[in-house]
Amino acid sequence: MRRKTTPIRRRWGALALVTGVAASLLPVTAAAAADTVTVYYRPPTAWGNSVNIHYGVDGAAWTPVPGVAMEAACPGWRRRTVDLGSATGLQAVFTNGSGTWDNNNGANYRIGTGTVTVSGGTLTPNAPDPCAPVVPDTTAPSVPGGLTAVPGGLSVTLTWNPATDDRGVTGYELTRTGGATGTTTVVVTGTRHVAYDLAPQTAYTWRVSAVDAAGNRSAASAPATATTGAAPAVGGSPLGGDPREDSIYFVMTARFADGDAGNNRGGSQHVRSGNAANDDPMFRGDFKGLIDKLDYVKALGFSALWITPVVLNRSDYDFHGYHGWDFHRVDPRLESPGASYQDLIDAAHAKGIKIFQDVVYNHSSRWGAKGLFTPTVYGTRDAQWKWYYDQPQAGKEYDPLQEHQGTDPDLTPAQNAQAKGRPYNGDLWSATAPTGNRCLNWGTPTGGRSPEGYTLYHCQWPVPTSRLFPADLYHQCWIGNWEGEDSRSCWLHEDLADFNTENERVQQYLIDVYNRFIDMGVDGFRIDTAVHIPRVTWNRRFLPAIQQHAVARHGAKGKDFYVFGEVAAFVNDKWNRGSVNHSAQFFTWKERKEYSADDVRAAIEQYDHEQLLGPSGQPTTDNAFLRGNSYHTPDRSKFSGMNVIDMRMHMNFSDAGNAFGNGKDSDDSYNDATYNVVYVDSHDYGPNKSGTRYTGGTDAWAENMSLMWTFRGVPTLYYGSEIEFQKGARIDCGPTCPLATTGRAYYGSHLAGSVTASDFGVVGSATGQVARTLDQPLVKHVQRLNLIRRAIPALQKGQYSTEGISGSMAYKRRYTAGGVDSFALVTVSGAATFSGIPNGRYTDAVTGEVRTVTNGTLTASVSGKGNLRVYVLDLPGNPAPGKIGTTGPYLR
C-alpha cells in the first residue's frame, strides 16, 4: 500500500518572534563537534544572497531579529554552525532579512546535533554534507539475470531480475534484434516490459543492460528469444479522424433501449427497490436495443456514442457497469444472439458512429477482479444466513444469467423471498479461514446486526481495513481527504475495491484486459475516476500502453484513439481548492521532471513536488487561443495523452453565461482545451453538483446547447436530455427507490416505433412514439446545431478569441490546416460587435444573411434565448456554406 503523506507547504509572512541574547556562534569548520550543529539551508531563488538563521538554543534566548547571516557553502546552499553547549538542539526559522520568512508553517524547525539540511520545507537530520565534493561514479551496475521472453500473440512480455549498483540502478536498456526493423533499443525503469510493435510469426532476441545515474552501463545479459504468433483474426477497426469533429451522445446501455427481453435481470433488489412493481428490471436495455436505435442517434446528428462500462459486474445493483469483476468478459446481460458487443461496434461503424467505451482503471468490485484476486469471505449456512450463502458446487461460479428463482424446497418461504434474484455465490465464502488469511477474528460475531436482525461476523464482507485483500494488489484504507494524497490510494466506497495501480502486476492486468477492446475497434476510452490514480502512473504506464497498442493494431487510425478522463472537481475554482493534483487540467500534461524508478515512491514524489509548486508553478499555453485573427499550429509535445471532461463548465451550466466565463478562465492551463468534453449533466450530477437532472427550463437548455455546439470542446448530451427527460428527478438513489423515478430511468418507451436516418441530423422516416419524440423542440434544435457544426471546421477544431468583441457570449474562431481555412464569428442569445476582424464577405449560417465588412467591424443582432448567429467568412477555396438547415424554434 502506498503510504499517506501530507505535503509541506511553505507559508511566508511576518512572525512574532522571541528575541534576546544570542547563543554563541562558532566559525564554520569542516567538521563540527558533537555539541554543535551545522545547518545547511537551501533558500528560495527569489531570496537572493541575503539569508539569515534566527534561532534559540534549548534553554537559551533567541538571537535578535532577524538572526545571524548564513554564509555561502556551495551553489544553492547556505551554512551556519552553532555551538549548542550542553543543549541537545535548537529551534530555528529562516529569513531574507527583508520581511520574508520560512517558519515551517508556524511550527519552527526543530534541529538536533550533527549535520542537518533544510530544503523545500523538509528537514533531514544526520544528513550528508550537500557541499562535499562528489566522488565520480565509475562503477557499473551488475549484469541483470534471469531474462525471459514470453510471447502472447503479437506481443512479448520480458522480465528479468533486478541488478545491483553501489549508488543505485536508474533504468534498464533493452536491445532487440530480429524482424524487418533490425536492432532497436528502449530504456525502461522497471524489470518488466511488454513489446508491442512486432511482426507476426517472427523470432526476436533481447538482451538487457542496467544503467546508473552516472551513465555507467553493465554488460549485456544472456539473450532471450521469443517468436510471435500469427496475426489475430480481425476484430474491428476504428473509424479514425479527429474526435473534435464529433458530437457525443451518452447512454447507460442497460437503461436505454430493450432489444431482447430474454437477457433482462432484476437482481436481488428487484422487489425491494420498487422496480418489480413497475415491471422495470435494472438490466433492461442491451446492445440489441442500441443497434436497433442507432438511427435515432444518427437522426439527432450525433456521430459518437459514449456507453457505460461493458465488463461483467458482480454487485447487487450494478446495471451501470462500474463494479467490474471479470474484466475479460462482456456482461452477458447486455448481449444477445446476433447482438454481441462486437456486433454493436461494427453496426455503429457501418453508420459512421464511433464508440467511446467507459473504462475503469481505479477499482474493481468489492468481490475483487477475476484473474487477479477474488477474496474469500467468512460465511455460514446457519438458520439466519442459509438464504444468502449458496451451497458450494465444484466448478461452478458466478453467472448473472442464473438468478435464484425463490423456489428452493430447502428454504422457508421467507428465505426463498430473500434469496430470489441472487446469482450463485458459493465460490466466494468459507466457514474455515483460507490459507494465508490475514483477516482478524475470522468468523467471530462483531456484536452488530444486519438490517434483518441477523448476527454479523468479522470477515463476512470485504472492506479495505479487513485485510481480506492483499496489500500489494489493493489499497487498505478509506479516503479521508478528497483533495489529499489518500484520495489516490484509498477506497471510494465499500463496493469499490481500490486497485494498487502502482503495482506492476495490477498494471499489466488492466493493460491486457483493455487492449482486448482496442482490438475490437472501439474508437476511444472515457476513463472513470481518473483523478484517483496518480498522474505519473497514467503518464508512465497506462496512457503509453493505450497509444502503443492502438497504433500497433490499427496504424494511423490508432493515432486518433480518443481518451478523456473524469477528473471530478466539484468547485468553481480554476484549481480545485488549490490542489493541482486534483484538478482536471493537470492530467493533460506530461511530467516535467524525473522521479524514482519505483512507482509507489514516484507517485509520492510527484504529489509533493507539484503541490509545492502550486497553481502558479503549472504550465500555461495558448493552444486554444487565436493570435489576433490567426490560427497557429498548437504545441502538443507536452500532451500527456489524456484529455478531460470540462468539470468547471459542467458545474456552472445552471447558467450558460457562467459556464462560458468559467471555461475561458481555465483554458490557458489545459494542454489544449479544444479537446475538452463538455456537458451540462450526466448520470452522476447536474450543474453545481446538483443531485437532480437539469431542470433549468427548455429555453435555458437551448441556450446551453447553442453554447456547447459553437464554443471550444466536444459537445456531449446525456440520453433523453433532448426532450428534457426526467427533468428535476433525482439522478440516483440506489435500490431505495424505483429506477423509473430517477434520472437513470428507462428511455425505450420514447423510442417505440421505427426510425431511419438519411444522414446525420436528418430523419429519413419515423413512425410511432419515436416520431413524436423526434418532433420535440429541443430535438429540432440539437439536430440543426449538429448540422451547423459539421459544416464549419472552425466550430469543431478552431482556436478562439474574445479580443475586440463586445457581447456577453461572443467569440471568433478559426481553424487553418492543409487546404482548410475556416473563420467564424459567433454570438449566443444576444447582440455583439466584432472589431478588428478581416474584411470580406460573411454569411450567417443561421439566417443566410450576407454582410460585407470593409472597416474591420461587424455588429450581429440576435434576440431570443438560445438563438445564435454564426457569420462565416468567405476565404479562397473555402466559401461560406450559407444558411444551414431550416428555421426552428430557437435558431431563427
Side-chain angles (χ1 to χ4, degrees):
M1 186 183 79
R2 186 162 71 248
R3 66 179 178 84
K4 295 198 289 185
T5 62
T6 301
I8 300 173
R9 298 181 180 89
R10 283 201 180 99
R11 186 179 301 152
W12 313 115
L15 297 166
L17 299 170
V18 180
T19 61
V21 179
S24 59
L25 299 175
L26 288 180
V28 175
T29 58
D35 57 353
T36 67
V37 59
T38 298
V39 182
Y40 285 88
Y41 180 67
R42 184 191 291 274
T45 303
W47 280 23
N49 295 323
S50 178
V51 180
N52 287 8
I53 178 172
H54 176 57
Y55 66 91
V57 174
D58 293 349
W62 281 65
T63 59
V65 175
V68 295
M70 303 185 77
E71 70 171 11
C74 59
W77 288 95
R78 295 285 170 156
R79 176 177 61 191
R80 192 79 207 185
T81 298
V82 179
D83 183 357
L84 298 173
S86 60
T88 58
L90 57 81
Q91 293 188 68
V93 296
F94 303 91
T95 177
N96 65 354
S98 301
T100 302
W101 295 85
D102 175 2
N103 68 343
N104 192 26
N105 287 325
N108 299 337
Y109 290 98
R110 176 65 195 172
I111 297 173
T113 60
T115 298
V116 173
T117 62
V118 180
S119 175
T122 299
L123 184 148
T124 305
N126 303 315
D129 183 347
C131 295
V134 177
V135 178
D137 180 5
T138 59
T139 303
S142 65
V143 177
L147 177 64
T148 61
V150 179
L154 293 184
S155 66
V156 173
T157 300
L158 301 149
T159 58
W160 58 93
N161 298 326
T164 59
D165 186 69
D166 59 337
R167 301 194 186 182
V169 174
T170 58
Y172 296 90
E173 185 177 274
L174 279 164
T175 301
R176 183 187 81 202
T177 56
T181 56
T183 301
T184 61
T185 301
V186 62
V187 176
V188 299
T189 55
T191 56
R192 189 174 190 272
H193 175 71
V194 180
Y196 287 108
D197 54 334
L198 308 176
Q201 296 179 320
T202 303
Y204 294 92
T205 298
W206 284 267
R207 295 176 185 268
V208 61
S209 301
V211 182
D212 65 18
N216 298 306
R217 184 175 283 95
S218 74
S221 70
T225 299
T227 300
T228 55
V234 175
S237 177
L239 291 178
D242 193 318
R244 296 174 298 175
E245 297 173 2
D246 299 302
S247 57
I248 302 173
Y249 193 69
F250 170 35
V251 301
M252 301 190 77
T253 308
R255 307 299 301 159
F256 184 66
D258 188 10
D260 177 8
N263 58 16
N264 292 358
R265 291 294 180 274
S268 63
Q269 307 298 313
H270 191 43
V271 173
R272 176 190 165 197
S273 65
N275 289 337
N278 292 324
D279 192 21
D280 183 23
M282 61 170 180
F283 267 91
R284 190 171 179 184
D286 46 37
F287 294 146
K288 188 175 189 305
L290 258 180
I291 291 171
D292 290 346
K293 300 304 178 184
L294 284 172
D295 269 58
Y296 173 77
V297 176
K298 187 169 184 176
L300 292 176
F302 292 96
S303 56
L305 262 177
W306 158 14
I307 62 172
T308 42
V310 303
V311 301
L312 176 58
N313 280 217
R314 190 172 184 163
S315 296
D316 283 342
Y317 212 64
D318 57 5
F319 61 93
H320 43 68
Y322 297 97
H323 293 164
W325 175 66
D326 189 345
F327 287 72
H328 295 89
R329 185 181 177 193
V330 173
D331 199 308
R333 291 167 289 191
L334 299 176
E335 294 193 304
S336 310
S340 67
Y341 187 32
Q342 187 68 67
D343 291 328
L344 169 63
I345 295 168
D346 294 345
H349 286 173
K351 293 185 181 295
I353 298 174
K354 295 179 180 178
I355 296 290
F356 295 147
Q357 178 183 329
D358 215 323
V359 294
V360 184
Y361 286 75
N362 176 68
H363 57 261
S364 65
S365 74
R366 74 192 308 184
W367 304 114
K370 185 180 179 184
L372 182 69
F373 180 79
T374 297
T376 298
V377 299
Y378 172 76
T380 178
R381 299 193 83 236
D382 59 16
Q384 297 182 97
W385 291 103
K386 192 174 184 179
W387 62 275
Y388 185 83
Y389 293 109
D390 293 303
Q391 185 68 46
Q393 299 179 42
K396 187 173 182 179
E397 64 176 21
Y398 173 78
D399 183 347
L401 293 181
Q402 297 181 14
E403 293 181 343
H404 197 290
Q405 297 302 301
T407 56
D408 187 344
D410 194 35
L411 299 179
T412 68
Q415 289 173 331
N416 266 310
Q418 290 173 304
K420 184 175 174 60
R422 293 184 179 276
Y424 175 77
N425 69 357
D427 55 330
L428 289 179
W429 65 275
S430 170
T432 304
T435 302
N437 170 62
R438 297 171 63 249
C439 185
L440 301 177
N441 303 313
W442 177 271
T444 61
T446 66
R449 295 279 178 174
S450 73
E452 300 87 358
Y454 303 153
T455 299
L456 294 176
Y457 300 93
H458 287 286
C459 314
Q460 193 171 8
W461 283 284
V463 292
T465 54
S466 67
R467 305 177 76 190
L468 284 167
F469 287 92
D472 60 331
L473 303 180
Y474 285 88
H475 292 133
Q476 309 282 296
C477 53
W478 298 107
I479 291 178
N481 178 4
W482 288 83
E483 276 78 41
E485 199 282 334
D486 59 337
S487 74
R488 310 178 315 155
S489 56
C490 299
W491 286 34
L492 295 165
H493 188 268
E494 65 176 12
D495 275 349
L496 306 178
D498 200 80
F499 285 129
N500 179 3
T501 49
E502 284 61 71
N503 175 277
E504 193 171 15
R505 183 178 163 200
V506 172
Q507 292 168 357
Q508 199 58 47
Y509 174 86
L510 292 167
I511 289 169
D512 289 345
V513 296
Y514 288 129
N515 279 349
R516 175 197 171 193
F517 297 109
I518 295 174
D519 292 342
M520 293 175 73
V522 298
D523 301 274
F525 287 159
R526 181 269 187 181
I527 297 179
D528 181 71
T529 53
V531 69
H532 298 293
I533 295 175
R535 185 181 77 177
V536 68
T537 305
W538 284 116
N539 287 352
R540 277 186 176 183
R541 309 300 175 200
F542 298 131
L543 295 173
I546 291 171
Q547 184 65 25
Q548 290 168 9
H549 193 75
V551 172
R553 182 62 192 265
H554 303 297
K557 288 183 177 180
K559 294 180 181 179
D560 296 324
F561 194 89
Y562 186 44
V563 176
F564 59 104
E566 177 204 25
V567 182
F570 301 110
V571 295
N572 289 316
D573 307 334
K574 180 173 182 176
W575 296 96
N576 183 13
R577 295 187 176 94
S579 177
V580 296
N581 279 279
H582 299 87
S583 301
Q585 56 268 48
F586 180 77
F587 284 78
T588 65
W589 295 93
K590 287 182 178 178
E591 304 306 329
R592 292 174 287 160
K593 70 183 296 290
E594 291 294 326
Y595 300 105
S596 298
D598 176 74
D599 282 357
V600 175
R601 186 176 301 170
I604 296 170
E605 291 172 353
Q606 181 238 24
Y607 182 92
D608 290 343
H609 174 73
E610 295 290 356
Q611 292 297 91
L612 283 170
L613 288 176
S616 63
Q618 299 307 307
T620 58
T621 180
D622 69 347
N623 278 346
F625 305 118
L626 293 174
R627 294 174 180 171
N629 293 314
S630 298
Y631 178 88
H632 62 95
T633 302
D635 178 7
R636 301 276 282 169
S637 63
K638 298 176 183 177
F639 174 52
S640 67
M642 183 188 293
N643 303 288
V644 291
I645 295 168
D646 198 318
M647 298 302 291
R648 193 175 179 195
M649 287 193 73
H650 160 56
M651 282 293 294
N652 284 279
F653 257 119
S654 55
D655 179 86
N658 283 340
F660 176 58
N662 279 274
K664 288 190 302 177
D665 183 53
S666 296
D667 282 357
D668 65 342
S669 56
Y670 295 100
N671 179 268
D672 190 340
T674 67
Y675 286 85
N676 287 7
V677 164
V678 182
Y679 59 60
V680 172
D681 63 356
S682 73
H683 59 323
D684 287 325
Y685 293 105
N688 298 317
K689 205 179 180 181
S690 166
T692 62
R693 287 195 71 158
Y694 184 75
T695 186
T698 311
D699 290 353
W701 247 127
E703 184 176 57
N704 287 341
M705 290 179 182
S706 292
L707 176 63
M708 286 194 293
W709 262 256
T710 57
F711 188 44
R712 58 96 184 114
V714 182
T716 300
L717 199 68
Y718 183 39
Y719 80 98
S721 293
E722 64 273 21
I723 61 168
E724 296 180 274
F725 179 61
Q726 297 296 95
K727 64 179 179 180
R730 49 187 166 177
I731 292 172
D732 176 35
C733 57
T736 65
C737 72
L739 277 166
T741 66
T742 73
R744 299 173 174 181
Y746 177 66
Y747 191 62
S749 58
H750 297 277
L751 304 176
S754 65
V755 57
T756 60
S758 56
D759 202 347
F760 289 99
V762 181
V763 177
S765 63
T767 63
Q769 182 57 47
V770 70
R772 290 184 283 275
T773 298
L774 288 166
D775 199 39
Q776 296 300 304
L778 284 178
V779 170
K780 301 294 186 184
H781 188 55
V782 77
Q783 285 174 317
R784 193 169 183 207
L785 286 171
N786 271 318
L787 289 172
I788 290 171
R789 190 173 184 274
R790 289 177 66 86
I792 304 172
L795 302 185
Q796 303 165 11
K797 299 172 284 190
Q799 294 162 342
Y800 77 94
S801 173
T802 58
E803 294 179 2
I805 302 172
S806 66
S808 59
M809 283 187 287
Y811 34 93
K812 53 188 175 183
R813 298 193 65 187
R814 190 169 200 161
Y815 176 74
T816 308
V820 175
D821 191 6
S822 176
F823 183 78
L825 309 175
V826 181
T827 182
V828 180
S829 295
T833 297
F834 301 84
S835 302
I837 60 173
N839 291 331
R841 185 175 184 269
Y842 291 79
T843 304
D844 177 26
V846 176
T847 64
E849 179 193 15
V850 176
R851 304 280 292 276
T852 300
V853 173
T854 59
N855 61 353
T857 300
L858 186 151
T859 297
S861 298
V862 61
S863 62
K865 202 165 187 175
N867 202 359
L868 187 68
R869 293 292 178 265
V870 183
Y871 285 96
V872 182
L873 175 63
D874 274 327
L875 288 165
N878 294 273
K883 181 178 179 179
I884 301 170
T886 59
T887 299
Y890 295 100
L891 299 182
R892 55 187 190 274

